[in-house]
PDB file of all heavy atoms in Angstrom:
ATOM      1  N   PRO S 353       6.378  10.854  -4.522  1.00  0.00           N
ATOM      2  CA  PRO S 353       7.230  10.877  -3.325  1.00  0.00           C
ATOM      3  C   PRO S 353       6.473  10.479  -2.054  1.00  0.00           C
ATOM      4  O   PRO S 353       7.049   9.854  -1.169  1.00  0.00           O
ATOM      5  CB  PRO S 353       7.695  12.336  -3.232  1.00  0.00           C
ATOM      6  CG  PRO S 353       7.486  12.903  -4.569  1.00  0.00           C
ATOM      7  CD  PRO S 353       6.371  12.154  -5.202  1.00  0.00           C
ATOM      8  N   LEU S 354       5.187  10.824  -1.983  1.00  0.00           N
ATOM      9  CA  LEU S 354       4.394  10.433  -0.814  1.00  0.00           C
ATOM     10  C   LEU S 354       4.218   8.925  -0.753  1.00  0.00           C
ATOM     11  O   LEU S 354       4.271   8.322   0.317  1.00  0.00           O
ATOM     12  CB  LEU S 354       3.032  11.128  -0.852  1.00  0.00           C
ATOM     13  CG  LEU S 354       3.067  12.649  -0.790  1.00  0.00           C
ATOM     14  CD1 LEU S 354       1.674  13.218  -0.997  1.00  0.00           C
ATOM     15  CD2 LEU S 354       3.657  13.113   0.521  1.00  0.00           C
ATOM     16  N   LEU S 355       4.008   8.308  -1.914  1.00  0.00           N
ATOM     17  CA  LEU S 355       3.869   6.855  -1.984  1.00  0.00           C
ATOM     18  C   LEU S 355       5.160   6.172  -1.538  1.00  0.00           C
ATOM     19  O   LEU S 355       5.135   5.252  -0.725  1.00  0.00           O
ATOM     20  CB  LEU S 355       3.512   6.434  -3.413  1.00  0.00           C
ATOM     21  CG  LEU S 355       3.493   4.941  -3.658  1.00  0.00           C
ATOM     22  CD1 LEU S 355       2.061   4.454  -3.618  1.00  0.00           C
ATOM     23  CD2 LEU S 355       4.119   4.609  -4.972  1.00  0.00           C
ATOM     24  N   VAL S 356       6.285   6.629  -2.055  1.00  0.00           N
ATOM     25  CA  VAL S 356       7.575   6.027  -1.708  1.00  0.00           C
ATOM     26  C   VAL S 356       7.895   6.263  -0.229  1.00  0.00           C
ATOM     27  O   VAL S 356       8.378   5.361   0.464  1.00  0.00           O
ATOM     28  CB  VAL S 356       8.688   6.569  -2.629  1.00  0.00           C
ATOM     29  CG1 VAL S 356      10.057   6.092  -2.188  1.00  0.00           C
ATOM     30  CG2 VAL S 356       8.423   6.171  -4.072  1.00  0.00           C
ATOM     31  N   LEU S 357       7.597   7.465   0.275  1.00  0.00           N
ATOM     32  CA  LEU S 357       7.847   7.760   1.681  1.00  0.00           C
ATOM     33  C   LEU S 357       7.020   6.850   2.591  1.00  0.00           C
ATOM     34  O   LEU S 357       7.538   6.304   3.575  1.00  0.00           O
ATOM     35  CB  LEU S 357       7.525   9.227   1.975  1.00  0.00           C
ATOM     36  CG  LEU S 357       7.745   9.700   3.404  1.00  0.00           C
ATOM     37  CD1 LEU S 357       9.217   9.586   3.777  1.00  0.00           C
ATOM     38  CD2 LEU S 357       7.249  11.109   3.573  1.00  0.00           C
ATOM     39  N   ALA S 358       5.756   6.657   2.268  1.00  0.00           N
ATOM     40  CA  ALA S 358       4.905   5.770   3.066  1.00  0.00           C
ATOM     41  C   ALA S 358       5.413   4.334   3.002  1.00  0.00           C
ATOM     42  O   ALA S 358       5.378   3.610   4.007  1.00  0.00           O
ATOM     43  CB  ALA S 358       3.465   5.843   2.580  1.00  0.00           C
ATOM     44  N   ALA S 359       5.893   3.923   1.828  1.00  0.00           N
ATOM     45  CA  ALA S 359       6.415   2.567   1.677  1.00  0.00           C
ATOM     46  C   ALA S 359       7.721   2.372   2.452  1.00  0.00           C
ATOM     47  O   ALA S 359       8.025   1.258   2.875  1.00  0.00           O
ATOM     48  CB  ALA S 359       6.623   2.249   0.199  1.00  0.00           C
ATOM     49  N   ILE S 360       8.484   3.436   2.651  1.00  0.00           N
ATOM     50  CA  ILE S 360       9.722   3.354   3.439  1.00  0.00           C
ATOM     51  C   ILE S 360       9.410   3.369   4.936  1.00  0.00           C
ATOM     52  O   ILE S 360      10.000   2.622   5.717  1.00  0.00           O
ATOM     53  CB  ILE S 360      10.684   4.510   3.071  1.00  0.00           C
ATOM     54  CG1 ILE S 360      11.216   4.321   1.651  1.00  0.00           C
ATOM     55  CG2 ILE S 360      11.835   4.616   4.067  1.00  0.00           C
ATOM     56  CD1 ILE S 360      11.990   5.518   1.122  1.00  0.00           C
ATOM     57  N   ILE S 361       8.473   4.219   5.337  1.00  0.00           N
ATOM     58  CA  ILE S 361       8.170   4.382   6.761  1.00  0.00           C
ATOM     59  C   ILE S 361       7.542   3.122   7.358  1.00  0.00           C
ATOM     60  O   ILE S 361       7.812   2.779   8.505  1.00  0.00           O
ATOM     61  CB  ILE S 361       7.256   5.609   6.967  1.00  0.00           C
ATOM     62  CG1 ILE S 361       8.068   6.876   6.752  1.00  0.00           C
ATOM     63  CG2 ILE S 361       6.619   5.610   8.344  1.00  0.00           C
ATOM     64  CD1 ILE S 361       7.258   8.137   6.795  1.00  0.00           C
ATOM     65  N   THR S 362       6.728   2.423   6.585  1.00  0.00           N
ATOM     66  CA  THR S 362       6.014   1.263   7.136  1.00  0.00           C
ATOM     67  C   THR S 362       6.959   0.167   7.632  1.00  0.00           C
ATOM     68  O   THR S 362       6.839  -0.273   8.782  1.00  0.00           O
ATOM     69  CB  THR S 362       5.006   0.720   6.109  1.00  0.00           C
ATOM     70  OG1 THR S 362       4.108   1.769   5.748  1.00  0.00           O
ATOM     71  CG2 THR S 362       4.233  -0.445   6.671  1.00  0.00           C
ATOM     72  N   PRO S 363       7.915  -0.323   6.827  1.00  0.00           N
ATOM     73  CA  PRO S 363       8.822  -1.343   7.395  1.00  0.00           C
ATOM     74  C   PRO S 363       9.679  -0.805   8.536  1.00  0.00           C
ATOM     75  O   PRO S 363      10.001  -1.547   9.467  1.00  0.00           O
ATOM     76  CB  PRO S 363       9.678  -1.799   6.215  1.00  0.00           C
ATOM     77  CG  PRO S 363       9.394  -0.900   5.099  1.00  0.00           C
ATOM     78  CD  PRO S 363       8.172  -0.122   5.409  1.00  0.00           C
ATOM     79  N   LEU S 364      10.029   0.492   8.482  1.00  0.00           N
ATOM     80  CA  LEU S 364      10.801   1.059   9.591  1.00  0.00           C
ATOM     81  C   LEU S 364       9.997   1.053  10.888  1.00  0.00           C
ATOM     82  O   LEU S 364      10.533   0.763  11.960  1.00  0.00           O
ATOM     83  CB  LEU S 364      11.255   2.482   9.246  1.00  0.00           C
ATOM     84  CG  LEU S 364      12.306   2.605   8.147  1.00  0.00           C
ATOM     85  CD1 LEU S 364      12.616   4.063   7.866  1.00  0.00           C
ATOM     86  CD2 LEU S 364      13.564   1.839   8.522  1.00  0.00           C
ATOM     87  N   ALA S 365       8.715   1.368  10.795  1.00  0.00           N
ATOM     88  CA  ALA S 365       7.857   1.336  11.982  1.00  0.00           C
ATOM     89  C   ALA S 365       7.718  -0.086  12.516  1.00  0.00           C
ATOM     90  O   ALA S 365       7.720  -0.304  13.735  1.00  0.00           O
ATOM     91  CB  ALA S 365       6.490   1.918  11.650  1.00  0.00           C
ATOM     92  N   ILE S 366       7.613  -1.046  11.606  1.00  0.00           N
ATOM     93  CA  ILE S 366       7.497  -2.450  12.039  1.00  0.00           C
ATOM     94  C   ILE S 366       8.796  -2.911  12.680  1.00  0.00           C
ATOM     95  O   ILE S 366       8.781  -3.572  13.732  1.00  0.00           O
ATOM     96  CB  ILE S 366       7.095  -3.342  10.847  1.00  0.00           C
ATOM     97  CG1 ILE S 366       5.660  -3.022  10.435  1.00  0.00           C
ATOM     98  CG2 ILE S 366       7.249  -4.820  11.187  1.00  0.00           C
ATOM     99  CD1 ILE S 366       5.213  -3.668   9.139  1.00  0.00           C
ATOM    100  N   ILE S 367       9.923  -2.545  12.098  1.00  0.00           N
ATOM    101  CA  ILE S 367      11.217  -2.930  12.674  1.00  0.00           C
ATOM    102  C   ILE S 367      11.405  -2.283  14.038  1.00  0.00           C
ATOM    103  O   ILE S 367      11.865  -2.917  14.995  1.00  0.00           O
ATOM    104  CB  ILE S 367      12.372  -2.564  11.717  1.00  0.00           C
ATOM    105  CG1 ILE S 367      12.321  -3.462  10.484  1.00  0.00           C
ATOM    106  CG2 ILE S 367      13.717  -2.672  12.418  1.00  0.00           C
ATOM    107  CD1 ILE S 367      13.248  -3.028   9.362  1.00  0.00           C
ATOM    108  N   TYR S 368      11.037  -0.999  14.166  1.00  0.00           N
ATOM    109  CA  TYR S 368      11.183  -0.329  15.463  1.00  0.00           C
ATOM    110  C   TYR S 368      10.316  -0.986  16.523  1.00  0.00           C
ATOM    111  O   TYR S 368      10.730  -1.146  17.676  1.00  0.00           O
ATOM    112  CB  TYR S 368      10.833   1.155  15.359  1.00  0.00           C
ATOM    113  CG  TYR S 368      10.827   1.816  16.710  1.00  0.00           C
ATOM    114  CD1 TYR S 368      12.029   2.161  17.329  1.00  0.00           C
ATOM    115  CD2 TYR S 368       9.640   2.060  17.389  1.00  0.00           C
ATOM    116  CE1 TYR S 368      12.042   2.731  18.593  1.00  0.00           C
ATOM    117  CE2 TYR S 368       9.641   2.630  18.646  1.00  0.00           C
ATOM    118  CZ  TYR S 368      10.836   2.966  19.239  1.00  0.00           C
ATOM    119  OH  TYR S 368      10.847   3.513  20.480  1.00  0.00           O
ATOM    120  N   SER S 369       9.106  -1.359  16.142  1.00  0.00           N
ATOM    121  CA  SER S 369       8.190  -1.933  17.130  1.00  0.00           C
ATOM    122  C   SER S 369       8.544  -3.360  17.512  1.00  0.00           C
ATOM    123  O   SER S 369       7.934  -3.932  18.402  1.00  0.00           O
ATOM    124  CB  SER S 369       6.755  -1.888  16.596  1.00  0.00           C
ATOM    125  OG  SER S 369       6.602  -2.816  15.539  1.00  0.00           O
ATOM    126  N   TRP S 370       9.526  -3.943  16.858  1.00  0.00           N
ATOM    127  CA  TRP S 370       9.897  -5.342  17.069  1.00  0.00           C
ATOM    128  C   TRP S 370      10.040  -5.681  18.548  1.00  0.00           C
ATOM    129  O   TRP S 370       9.567  -6.708  19.009  1.00  0.00           O
ATOM    130  CB  TRP S 370      11.201  -5.614  16.324  1.00  0.00           C
ATOM    131  CG  TRP S 370      11.376  -7.031  15.908  1.00  0.00           C
ATOM    132  CD1 TRP S 370      12.007  -7.999  16.617  1.00  0.00           C
ATOM    133  CD2 TRP S 370      10.927  -7.635  14.694  1.00  0.00           C
ATOM    134  NE1 TRP S 370      11.995  -9.174  15.902  1.00  0.00           N
ATOM    135  CE2 TRP S 370      11.341  -8.979  14.715  1.00  0.00           C
ATOM    136  CE3 TRP S 370      10.238  -7.177  13.588  1.00  0.00           C
ATOM    137  CZ2 TRP S 370      11.085  -9.862  13.686  1.00  0.00           C
ATOM    138  CZ3 TRP S 370       9.971  -8.043  12.560  1.00  0.00           C
ATOM    139  CH2 TRP S 370      10.389  -9.369  12.614  1.00  0.00           C
ATOM    140  N   ASN S 371      10.723  -4.828  19.304  1.00  0.00           N
ATOM    141  CA  ASN S 371      10.938  -5.072  20.736  1.00  0.00           C
ATOM    142  C   ASN S 371      10.415  -3.928  21.599  1.00  0.00           C
ATOM    143  O   ASN S 371      10.816  -3.788  22.751  1.00  0.00           O
ATOM    144  CB  ASN S 371      12.422  -5.296  21.028  1.00  0.00           C
ATOM    145  CG  ASN S 371      12.927  -6.571  20.408  1.00  0.00           C
ATOM    146  OD1 ASN S 371      12.247  -7.596  20.454  1.00  0.00           O
ATOM    147  ND2 ASN S 371      14.095  -6.520  19.802  1.00  0.00           N
ATOM    148  N   HIS S 372       9.561  -3.087  21.037  1.00  0.00           N
ATOM    149  CA  HIS S 372       9.020  -1.944  21.776  1.00  0.00           C
ATOM    150  C   HIS S 372       7.496  -1.983  21.744  1.00  0.00           C
ATOM    151  O   HIS S 372       6.857  -1.122  21.155  1.00  0.00           O
ATOM    152  CB  HIS S 372       9.510  -0.622  21.167  1.00  0.00           C
ATOM    153  CG  HIS S 372      10.984  -0.458  21.215  1.00  0.00           C
ATOM    154  ND1 HIS S 372      11.810  -0.871  20.202  1.00  0.00           N
ATOM    155  CD2 HIS S 372      11.799   0.061  22.169  1.00  0.00           C
ATOM    156  CE1 HIS S 372      13.060  -0.614  20.509  1.00  0.00           C
ATOM    157  NE2 HIS S 372      13.085  -0.052  21.690  1.00  0.00           N
ATOM    158  N   TRP S 373       6.908  -2.974  22.351  1.00  0.00           N
ATOM    159  CA  TRP S 373       5.448  -3.108  22.321  1.00  0.00           C
ATOM    160  C   TRP S 373       4.837  -2.260  23.414  1.00  0.00           C
ATOM    161  O   TRP S 373       5.223  -2.372  24.572  1.00  0.00           O
ATOM    162  CB  TRP S 373       5.041  -4.572  22.510  1.00  0.00           C
ATOM    163  CG  TRP S 373       5.634  -5.468  21.479  1.00  0.00           C
ATOM    164  CD1 TRP S 373       6.577  -6.420  21.681  1.00  0.00           C
ATOM    165  CD2 TRP S 373       5.342  -5.494  20.082  1.00  0.00           C
ATOM    166  NE1 TRP S 373       6.897  -7.036  20.498  1.00  0.00           N
ATOM    167  CE2 TRP S 373       6.150  -6.487  19.498  1.00  0.00           C
ATOM    168  CE3 TRP S 373       4.486  -4.773  19.264  1.00  0.00           C
ATOM    169  CZ2 TRP S 373       6.127  -6.781  18.143  1.00  0.00           C
ATOM    170  CZ3 TRP S 373       4.452  -5.064  17.910  1.00  0.00           C
ATOM    171  CH2 TRP S 373       5.261  -6.050  17.378  1.00  0.00           C
ATOM    172  N   PRO S 374       3.884  -1.403  23.054  1.00  0.00           N
ATOM    173  CA  PRO S 374       3.219  -0.609  24.096  1.00  0.00           C
ATOM    174  C   PRO S 374       2.283  -1.480  24.937  1.00  0.00           C
ATOM    175  O   PRO S 374       1.889  -2.558  24.520  1.00  0.00           O
ATOM    176  CB  PRO S 374       2.428   0.426  23.289  1.00  0.00           C
ATOM    177  CG  PRO S 374       2.201  -0.208  21.960  1.00  0.00           C
ATOM    178  CD  PRO S 374       3.387  -1.105  21.720  1.00  0.00           C
ATOM    179  N   GLU S 375       1.955  -0.996  26.115  1.00  0.00           N
ATOM    180  CA  GLU S 375       1.010  -1.727  26.972  1.00  0.00           C
ATOM    181  C   GLU S 375      -0.397  -1.492  26.481  1.00  0.00           C
ATOM    182  O   GLU S 375      -0.710  -0.381  26.065  1.00  0.00           O
ATOM    183  CB  GLU S 375       1.156  -1.265  28.425  1.00  0.00           C
ATOM    184  CG  GLU S 375       2.455  -1.700  29.069  1.00  0.00           C
ATOM    185  CD  GLU S 375       2.620  -3.208  29.154  1.00  0.00           C
ATOM    186  OE1 GLU S 375       1.606  -3.916  29.319  1.00  0.00           O
ATOM    187  OE2 GLU S 375       3.749  -3.678  29.032  1.00  0.00           O
ATOM    188  N   PRO S 376      -1.282  -2.430  26.482  1.00  0.00           N
ATOM    189  CA  PRO S 376      -1.081  -3.827  26.817  1.00  0.00           C
ATOM    190  C   PRO S 376      -0.329  -4.531  25.695  1.00  0.00           C
ATOM    191  O   PRO S 376      -0.512  -4.201  24.530  1.00  0.00           O
ATOM    192  CB  PRO S 376      -2.490  -4.371  26.957  1.00  0.00           C
ATOM    193  CG  PRO S 376      -3.307  -3.534  26.049  1.00  0.00           C
ATOM    194  CD  PRO S 376      -2.662  -2.175  26.069  1.00  0.00           C
ATOM    195  N   HIS S 377       0.487  -5.474  26.039  1.00  0.00           N
ATOM    196  CA  HIS S 377       1.342  -6.173  25.077  1.00  0.00           C
ATOM    197  C   HIS S 377       0.478  -6.941  24.068  1.00  0.00           C
ATOM    198  O   HIS S 377       0.081  -8.061  24.301  1.00  0.00           O
ATOM    199  CB  HIS S 377       2.274  -7.130  25.830  1.00  0.00           C
ATOM    200  CG  HIS S 377       3.259  -7.820  24.947  1.00  0.00           C
ATOM    201  ND1 HIS S 377       4.394  -7.196  24.515  1.00  0.00           N
ATOM    202  CD2 HIS S 377       3.278  -9.058  24.412  1.00  0.00           C
ATOM    203  CE1 HIS S 377       5.080  -8.040  23.745  1.00  0.00           C
ATOM    204  NE2 HIS S 377       4.416  -9.183  23.675  1.00  0.00           N
ATOM    205  N   ASN S 378       0.194  -6.297  22.929  1.00  0.00           N
ATOM    206  CA  ASN S 378      -0.637  -6.919  21.898  1.00  0.00           C
ATOM    207  C   ASN S 378      -0.022  -6.646  20.521  1.00  0.00           C
ATOM    208  O   ASN S 378      -0.495  -5.773  19.780  1.00  0.00           O
ATOM    209  CB  ASN S 378      -2.066  -6.375  21.969  1.00  0.00           C
ATOM    210  CG  ASN S 378      -3.025  -7.184  21.123  1.00  0.00           C
ATOM    211  OD1 ASN S 378      -2.622  -8.034  20.337  1.00  0.00           O
ATOM    212  ND2 ASN S 378      -4.308  -6.921  21.287  1.00  0.00           N
ATOM    213  N   PRO S 379       1.057  -7.354  20.161  1.00  0.00           N
ATOM    214  CA  PRO S 379       1.729  -7.088  18.887  1.00  0.00           C
ATOM    215  C   PRO S 379       0.849  -7.358  17.677  1.00  0.00           C
ATOM    216  O   PRO S 379       0.979  -6.690  16.656  1.00  0.00           O
ATOM    217  CB  PRO S 379       2.947  -8.011  18.913  1.00  0.00           C
ATOM    218  CG  PRO S 379       2.643  -9.035  19.935  1.00  0.00           C
ATOM    219  CD  PRO S 379       1.708  -8.411  20.914  1.00  0.00           C
TER     220      PRO S 379
END
Side-chain angles (χ1 to χ4, degrees):
L354 298 173
L355 173 100
V356 173
L357 180 63
I360 291 171
I361 288 174
T362 303
L364 291 177
I366 291 171
I367 291 169
Y368 174 78
S369 71
W370 207 268
N371 293 318
H372 298 91
W373 302 112
E375 290 298 327
H377 184 79
N378 192 350

